[in-house]
Each structure stands twice: as structure tokens, then as C-alpha cells.
């Protein structure tokens, strides 16, 4: 969830620590007020975990690239989180910047020169809109990559870890129905959807010569993995 400072300084430090601040211009999550409400999903906060999962899936990769959009409002925070995690894991992390289709091509072309053995695609709307391009380039350059949405793995990406869009859309639909029945948006708390899922495309893994490690397979018991066709889907 993105935190912003209230222009009228109505947000207390205690609220910020509790996460009761929304990315929309509202006072807090439980009482947004006005005509605003919605669903807040975890995403930016998951970059350290994505880096850990990728390193677990590709343990031989000691150099990892992080693809970021330099124009994104959360890029600085994403880089800081990833760098801290990489240092703790003793990984070398390279930043690749792209905010255009051409820049994405150039970023992937530089992977061999950087000796990057894997790539983390940061959670940015621009990269979501270029899903097919990212997946195709990862396959062309034979680089294992992790993404934010399961839609990337369904398009042929190796692994994704992030919130479920279908769950979020369902929750938005429920709220829309309640509002249409007369409830005021400002009286409905901003829902924090904390459910995340890990999806691995086993076909892509095989094409890259990778086997899903037992450390991930064994986690099925606590993550309620449900194998579907050539996907392994995990939900905490």
C-alpha cells in the first residue's frame, strides 16, 4: 500500500505506523470519508520476498538484475528494499531502467554483459502493460525471471509472487454492489487484501533447465499448493 502525507497534516504518526493511511486522499483506511473507498493490495512490500524466491529457485545465480521504471513513483523505495535484501543474501544486484518498449529491449540485451543469472521485474503498471514483451524477452535471453502477477506466468513467465487480481476484483465487485444498494463509500473501510499467491510455470522451468527445488515443493503443505496443469500455485 502506498503511504502519502495528508496535505492538511491530519494524519498522525501513530496512524502511519498502523498502516491506517491510504494512497487516496482520505483520512484513514477504516473511515475514508467523502466518496472514496476501495481495495488496497500488498505489492511494493513484496519485492524482498520475490528476490528470495528467485534466489531459491535459481541458487546458482549470484548476480541478479532488477528491472525498474525510473519514472515510477515507488521506484526509489523498491530499489532500497531490494538492495537491502541483496546485501543480506550476499547477492550482487544490478539496476536496469526502462520506461519505453525500446528501453526494455535494451535492458534485456545488457543481461549477458552484466553476467546476470536471473531477473526481478518490479511491480510497475508500465511493466504490467508490457507483459507479453517481458515474457518473450526472458525466453529469448533464457533468463529466469520473477514477476508480480500470475498473469505473467500464464503468459509463459517462470514465476510470480503477488496478490491475486481476481480476488481483488471480486472484493471491488462486492463493494460496488453495496454502494448501488445505498451504502455510502466513505462509510466503507478501505479493505486491505493481504492474500498473496506464488505461481510457477513448470513448462518454462523445464525449458530453462530448472527443476523446482524440494524446498519450494515441500512448502506446499503450509501454503496449500494446488497443482493445476503445468502450474504450481501456492497461497499462504
Amino acid at each position: 500500500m502506498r503511504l502519502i502525507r495528508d496535505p492538511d497534516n491530519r494524519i498522525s504518526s501513530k496512524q502511519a505506523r498502523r498502516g491506517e493511511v491510504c494512497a487516496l486522499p482520505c483520512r484513514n483506511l477504516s473511515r475514508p470519508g467523502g466518496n472514496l473507498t476501495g481495495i488496497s493490495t500488498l505489492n511494493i512490500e513484496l519485492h524482498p520476498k520475490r528476490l528470495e524466491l528467485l534466489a531459491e529457485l535459481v541458487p546458482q545465480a549470484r548476480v541478479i538484475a532488477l528491472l525498474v521504471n525510473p519514472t515510477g513513483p515507488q521506484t526509489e523505495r523498491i530499489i532500497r528494499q531490494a538492495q537491502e535484501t541483496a546485501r543480506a543474501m550476499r547477492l550482487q544486484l544490478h539496476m536496469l531502467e526502462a520506461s519505453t518498449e525500446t528501453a526494455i529491449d535494451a535492458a534485456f540485451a545488457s543481461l549477458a554483459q552484466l553476467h546476470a543469472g536471473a531477473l526481478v521485474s518490479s511491480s510497475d503498471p508500465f511493466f504490467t502493460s508490457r507483459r507479453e514483451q517481458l515474457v518473450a524477452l526472458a525466453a529469448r535471453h533464457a533468463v529466469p525471471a520473477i514477476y508480480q502477477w500470475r498473469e505473467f506466468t500464464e503468459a509463459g513467465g517462470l514465476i510470480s509472487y503477488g496478490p491475486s487480481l481476481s480476488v481483488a476484483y471480486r472484493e471491488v465487485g462486492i463493494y460496488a454492489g453495496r454502494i448501488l444498494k445505498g451504502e455510502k463509500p466513505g462509510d466503507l473501510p478501505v479493505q486491505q487484501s493481504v492474500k498473496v499467491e506464488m505461481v510457477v510455470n513448470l513448462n518454462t522451468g523445464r525449458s530453462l533447465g530448472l527443476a523446482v527445488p524440494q524446498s519450494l515443493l515441500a512448502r506446499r503443505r503450509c501454503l496449500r499448493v494446488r497443482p493445476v496443469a503445468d502450474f504450481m500455485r501456492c497461497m499462504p
Side-chain angles (χ1 to χ4, degrees):
M1 182 185 66
R2 187 184 310 165
L3 302 183
I4 63 170
R5 183 176 298 279
D6 184 89
D8 297 325
N9 294 316
R10 294 188 299 262
I11 296 171
S12 67
S13 59
K14 186 175 181 181
Q15 282 178 299
R17 286 196 300 271
R18 290 199 306 258
E20 294 180 349
V21 186
C22 59
L24 299 171
C26 60
R27 295 190 179 188
N28 57 58
L29 294 175
S30 59
R31 298 285 297 180
N35 290 317
L36 296 174
T37 190
I39 307 298
S40 174
T41 60
L42 292 173
N43 213 322
I44 301 298
E45 300 84 351
L46 299 179
H47 284 87
K49 185 63 177 179
R50 292 187 184 112
L51 185 56
E52 293 173 8
L53 287 171
L54 188 61
E56 191 172 352
L57 185 55
V58 195
Q60 68 273 21
R62 306 310 299 170
V63 179
I64 295 179
L66 173 66
L67 181 65
V68 298
N69 180 358
T71 66
Q74 296 297 322
T75 296
E76 203 172 300
R77 181 183 173 195
I78 291 170
I79 292 175
R80 184 172 62 251
Q81 290 178 339
Q83 287 176 330
E84 292 173 356
T85 304
R87 280 195 297 268
M89 299 176 65
R90 298 183 179 180
L91 296 172
Q92 187 176 353
L93 189 68
H94 287 290
M95 304 302 153
L96 301 178
E97 295 185 346
S99 57
T100 65
E101 297 177 31
T102 303
I104 291 177
D105 290 332
F108 274 85
S110 69
L111 290 173
Q113 184 179 355
L114 295 173
H115 303 289
L119 178 137
V120 177
S121 175
S122 66
S123 53
D124 187 275
F126 171 64
F127 296 142
T128 300
S129 71
R130 302 306 307 165
R131 178 174 66 247
E132 300 290 342
Q133 181 185 8
L134 290 174
V135 170
L137 285 170
R140 185 186 309 167
H141 292 276
V143 58
I146 188 167
Y147 311 91
Q148 59 176 320
W149 308 114
R150 69 169 296 151
E151 284 73 16
F152 281 87
T153 52
E154 291 174 347
L158 174 62
I159 179 174
S160 64
Y161 182 77
S164 169
L165 283 176
S166 61
V167 171
Y169 291 155
R170 189 179 306 118
E171 292 171 344
V172 168
I174 292 172
Y175 259 23
R178 291 174 63 177
I179 293 169
L180 289 173
K181 291 178 180 178
E183 293 190 58
K184 296 180 180 179
D187 293 337
L188 300 174
V190 175
Q191 295 288 340
Q192 298 186 79
S193 180
V194 296
K195 181 177 292 185
V196 297
E197 60 182 3
M198 178 179 68
V199 182
V200 181
N201 188 315
L202 301 179
N203 273 339
T204 301
R206 283 191 289 268
S207 69
L208 292 169
L210 298 173
V212 179
Q214 289 299 318
S215 57
L216 286 180
L217 291 174
R219 205 172 298 173
R220 290 182 296 181
R221 291 190 295 273
C222 60
L223 293 183
R224 302 201 302 273
V225 173
R226 183 179 61 189
V228 180
D230 284 312
F231 293 93
M232 186 182 76
R233 179 170 180 264
C234 309
M235 296 186 68

